Amino acid sequence: MATKKALNCCPCDYKHETKTAVKWCTDCAEALCLTCFEAHKSFKVSRNHNVISIEDHNALQGIISNLSEVQRCDQHDKRFEYFCPLHDEVVCIKCIQTKHSECTGWLPISEAADGVKASVAKETIKQDLEDMIRNIEELIDSHKKEQLSNQNVCKSLKDEASKVAQSIIQKVKDLEAELYKTIDVQHHDISGNVGNRAIQLQDQLQKIKELRDRLNSIEGYASDTQIFLGIRKISKELGDSIEETKSVTKEPIIVLKKLQITAPVQSFLSEVTLLGHVQNNPKHILFQPTKLQKVQSNVSVTVSKSIKDIEVQKIVNINVSKPESKRMRIWSAVVLPLNQFIFDWDESKSLVIYNSDGEFVKNHTLEDNVRYMTMVDLERLAFSYERSKEVGIYNMRTLKMEKRIPFKENCYGLSYDGRILYVVGATTIFCVELADNLMCISSVPVNTDNVAFLSVHGDRLYYADYKKHTVYCSEKNGKEIWSFKNKIMNYPIGITSDHYGNAYVTCTKSHNVLVISADGNHYKELLDAFNGLVNPRAIIYDKSDSRLLVCNNANGQALLCTMK
């Protein structure tokens, strides 16, 4: 059996030496021998590159080559190097010089793809794929059930026809046989139609699963740019599959229903030419597609889910150990990778880490008293200090503060969308583009006099005014989309959002948690004092595992809720 030719080390080839490669750097797109690999991971510029084994590279070559095909401009045959957010397009240098010459804000793909592995966009497209798979599986199941139902109805129709035939003369029995034939023909035609549709839907299911497998394959091994481009390609193919699935279910299937007998048979025996016929009704089993938005750079796709379907399935109580003062309160929390959670006590320099089983992991001591925090990526946290007019970016791996961002006023709650850090100030919401070394800071013109936390989802901001007892949803430019107020909600303060744009808010004085629909028109009480809520404050929705973490401000307890 022929084997694949071994790859040579690229740096050694450059030096006119021949060594067999053992590693592949997806960022450099180069093969490395063991010696060069050790040097590669020792350099600061390349030590954090994504390096995989040659065996994994060989297995992924087909997928990577497909990604490479979408990295060149069809019009100019040049490599895509930039991303135009105005038109949501990846472009080459020629495109920028021609049809995008008047566009502003375009940036290198490497910057647009920064953080894509941990982005909401990647998680959302994965969720879209899973939703499509589930929807098509449900369609297939429904069609199979109708196929079986038609078989059962067919048998019932025959039994009914047989009973009628027993009470009439031989001529009617002859008609009975003809009716059997009619039923069988219709059943054959209908079942064949339903079966063919089930086969077509099975083909679509396989396509969607292949898209999911492709995304899972490139997620851990491809470079950020390749993942970014791969997501866009998968998103387009997913949209095409949706249209194909819609076309399959556009026309109704025919459903056998009941036998209608000509009446009264005995009286018209000599004149009867037809014993009866089968009445068929059309029944739609339509595909209800998820509305997809274009996958942009680190921007989540908005889908919908009725809050009627949102339920708490399981609650794990986490008793967070108190620091030096028993009067201290849990102020904020963050969901970490590996099923761990950080809790922050007010007026304390210690962070406490627990796992999802409620077990203590370790304490983490900082230089300052942190009040609010959010995840920036898998290694870094953003901190605010409330009484200090700055936000710090802290590296959990190196245990060092990487930078401090100064503001003109005190800072409170934080939320990060994969590119921009949103900070609640004393009078407005600030926007900091972390990919920009110049740290350009802008603001959203909303009143935050009584706002502590905020949450960002897609193109929306969510925040609560605890004195006006009102939750707000606005565009990222500050334009209000909706506001929600209800007597069941007293002193709303903590807020978070799920994959679908539904808002979850903690109400400190009414001791409950509400979920508000993405359109702001409906609400549901998820948790209350009966579940153990006492002055709830911080709340985080863990989108990776569909879990809700709610922290009591008073007694040092947190509720980890598995959501349906």
Side-chain angles (χ1 to χ4, degrees):
M1 181 180 293
T3 58
K4 291 187 177 179
K5 183 179 179 182
L7 286 175
N8 291 333
C9 174
C10 296
C12 290
D13 277 350
Y14 179 77
K15 296 183 292 184
H16 305 291
E17 300 175 4
T18 301
K19 289 186 180 180
T20 301
V22 296
K23 298 288 184 179
W24 177 269
C25 177
T26 60
D27 293 274
C28 299
E30 284 194 334
L32 304 169
C33 66
L34 185 58
T35 302
C36 291
F37 167 62
E38 293 297 331
H40 185 272
K41 68 180 183 180
S42 68
F43 296 132
K44 182 177 181 180
V45 69
S46 58
R47 66 175 58 135
N48 292 323
H49 283 192
N50 188 34
V51 179
I52 62 177
S53 68
I54 285 296
E55 291 77 12
D56 287 339
H57 169 261
N58 291 336
L60 289 169
Q61 263 189 319
I63 296 174
I64 299 299
S65 61
N66 288 336
L67 289 177
S68 300
E69 292 175 3
V70 300
Q71 294 186 38
R72 298 193 69 84
C73 175
D74 293 336
Q75 184 175 357
H76 302 111
D77 193 29
K78 289 186 176 293
R79 187 178 180 83
F80 287 134
E81 298 181 66
Y82 297 94
F83 174 73
C84 175
L86 182 63
H87 293 94
D88 184 27
E89 292 181 0
V90 286
V91 295
C92 69
I93 187 64
K94 283 286 187 182
C95 293
I96 288 181
Q97 294 170 351
T98 54
K99 64 178 182 179
H100 292 273
S101 60
E102 296 183 1
C103 297
T104 59
W106 48 264
L107 65 163
I109 288 181
S110 59
E111 292 187 20
D114 184 33
V116 69
K117 289 184 179 179
S119 70
V120 177
K122 185 202 70 178
E123 294 301 325
T124 305
I125 193 67
K126 287 178 68 175
Q127 185 65 43
D128 289 336
L129 290 168
E130 294 296 340
D131 288 346
M132 274 295 295
I133 290 171
R134 184 178 63 256
N135 287 343
I136 296 179
E137 286 175 339
E138 290 175 354
L139 280 171
I140 292 172
D141 183 61
S142 296
H143 281 77
K144 287 181 177 179
K145 287 180 179 178
E146 290 302 330
Q147 191 175 14
L148 180 61
S149 175
N150 273 323
Q151 291 175 348
N152 295 332
V153 173
C154 176
K155 183 179 183 302
S156 298
L157 292 174
K158 288 183 178 182
D159 290 343
E160 185 179 352
S162 180
K163 291 177 182 179
V164 174
Q166 297 302 319
S167 62
I168 59 178
I169 61 175
Q170 188 62 44
K171 181 178 180 179
V172 177
K173 289 187 176 181
D174 294 337
L175 293 174
E176 177 193 19
E178 186 64 25
L179 182 57
Y180 281 8
K181 181 179 178 180
T182 301
I183 294 171
D184 286 334
V185 169
Q186 293 189 23
H187 169 239
H188 179 269
D189 293 343
I190 291 171
S191 295
N193 181 41
V194 175
N196 288 337
R197 285 177 59 164
I199 292 172
Q200 291 175 291
L201 289 169
Q202 190 70 48
D203 290 340
Q204 292 304 315
L205 175 63
Q206 184 62 33
K207 290 181 182 179
I208 301 302
K209 287 185 175 180
E210 289 174 358
L211 291 178
R212 178 191 62 186
D213 293 341
R214 193 193 309 170
L215 178 63
N216 288 335
S217 295
I218 67 174
E219 177 183 343
Y221 302 106
S223 67
D224 288 352
T225 299
Q226 291 166 337
I227 293 176
F228 173 77
L229 296 171
I231 288 175
R232 299 177 59 81
K233 181 178 177 66
I234 290 172
S235 179
K236 180 179 182 304
E237 292 178 18
L238 179 59
D240 294 340
S241 183
I242 289 175
E243 293 303 317
E244 291 179 17
T245 305
K246 287 170 61 178
S247 67
V248 170
T249 60
K250 182 177 181 180
E251 297 296 328
I253 63 172
I254 302 301
V255 180
L256 293 170
K257 188 176 181 182
K258 63 181 180 179
L259 183 67
Q260 292 186 340
I261 304 299
T262 55
V265 175
Q266 289 86 353
S267 301
F268 298 95
L269 185 59
S270 60
E271 301 176 10
V272 167
T273 59
L274 180 67
L275 179 62
H277 67 275
V278 178
Q279 180 181 355
N280 298 321
N281 283 346
K283 181 176 181 179
H284 281 279
I285 305 178
L286 292 176
F287 169 61
Q288 302 295 333
T290 296
K291 184 178 179 182
L292 301 177
Q293 295 181 357
K294 294 180 180 179
V295 178
Q296 300 181 3
S297 176
N298 293 339
V299 176
S300 64
V301 178
T302 301
V303 292
S304 60
K305 180 176 182 178
S306 171
I307 62 173
K308 293 180 180 179
D309 301 326
I310 298 176
E311 295 179 359
V312 176
Q313 290 186 317
K314 177 184 177 183
I315 298 178
V316 175
N317 289 307
I318 302 176
N319 293 310
V320 184
S321 58
K322 292 183 180 293
E324 55 273 13
S325 173
K326 294 184 178 180
R327 293 178 297 176
M328 291 185 181
R329 301 166 294 175
I330 297 179
W331 208 254
S332 60
V334 165
V335 176
L336 294 175
L338 304 177
N339 283 323
Q340 293 185 342
F341 309 94
I342 289 183
F343 299 95
D344 167 45
W345 294 87
D346 70 325
E347 305 298 338
S348 174
K349 295 181 180 180
S350 294
L351 301 179
V352 188
I353 302 179
Y354 280 75
N355 63 24
S356 59
D357 295 325
E359 299 171 342
F360 171 79
V361 177
K362 64 179 178 180
N363 282 318
H364 190 75
T365 303
L366 301 173
E367 296 178 358
D368 303 300
N369 296 331
V370 172
R371 299 301 290 272
Y372 299 88
M373 52 188 175
T374 191
M375 285 289 296
V376 173
D377 55 35
L378 296 179
E379 292 184 351
R380 298 185 298 164
L381 297 174
F383 292 148
S384 68
Y385 309 94
E386 190 169 289
R387 298 184 182 89
S388 174
K389 299 177 181 179
E390 66 177 17
V391 168
I393 306 299
Y394 185 79
N395 192 307
M396 292 288 290
R397 180 175 59 84
T398 63
L399 306 181
K400 293 182 179 179
M401 190 69 68
E402 292 186 350
K403 64 185 68 175
R404 293 182 181 270
I405 308 170
F407 292 84
K408 295 181 179 180
E409 56 190 52
N410 290 340
C411 300
Y412 304 91
L414 309 161
S415 186
Y416 185 60
D417 70 356
R419 181 171 183 79
I420 296 177
L421 179 67
Y422 294 85
V423 182
V424 177
T427 62
T428 189
I429 295 176
F430 295 104
C431 311
V432 185
E433 192 167 351
L434 294 184
D436 188 350
N437 291 329
L438 297 178
M439 283 300 161
C440 178
I441 300 177
S442 57
S443 61
V444 181
V446 298
N447 185 357
T448 60
D449 290 348
N450 306 308
V451 175
F453 294 89
L454 84 160
S455 178
V456 56
H457 172 78
D459 57 357
R460 295 184 174 192
L461 298 175
Y462 301 85
Y463 54 96
D465 188 313
Y466 48 81
K467 288 190 177 180
K468 294 181 180 179
H469 311 292
T470 303
V471 173
Y472 295 93
C473 172
S474 75
E475 296 177 0
K476 286 185 175 178
N477 60 9
K479 181 180 179 182
E480 183 178 310
I481 299 175
W482 53 260
S483 62
F484 178 86
K485 185 175 184 178
N486 191 284
K487 61 182 180 180
I488 196 175
M489 186 172 65
N490 191 355
Y491 207 85
I493 186 165
I495 196 162
T496 187
S497 53
D498 61 17
H499 310 83
Y500 311 97
N502 300 311
Y504 299 74
V505 58
T506 53
C507 306
T508 299
K509 294 185 178 180
S510 51
H511 309 289
N512 56 0
V513 170
L514 304 185
V515 56
I516 304 170
S517 61
D519 58 9
N521 293 327
H522 307 282
Y523 78 95
K524 182 177 183 179
E525 187 178 45
L526 286 180
L527 300 164
D528 56 21
F530 181 78
N531 302 111
L533 292 185
V534 182
N535 303 124
R537 179 180 172 84
I539 183 170
I540 304 96
Y541 192 95
D542 180 8
K543 294 180 180 178
S544 61
D545 290 317
S546 296
R547 296 180 301 185
L548 192 67
L549 181 67
V550 185
C551 303
N552 285 335
N553 192 26
N555 60 7
Q557 292 186 344
L559 281 63
L560 180 59
C561 309
T562 302
M563 307 301 296
K564 178 180 178 181

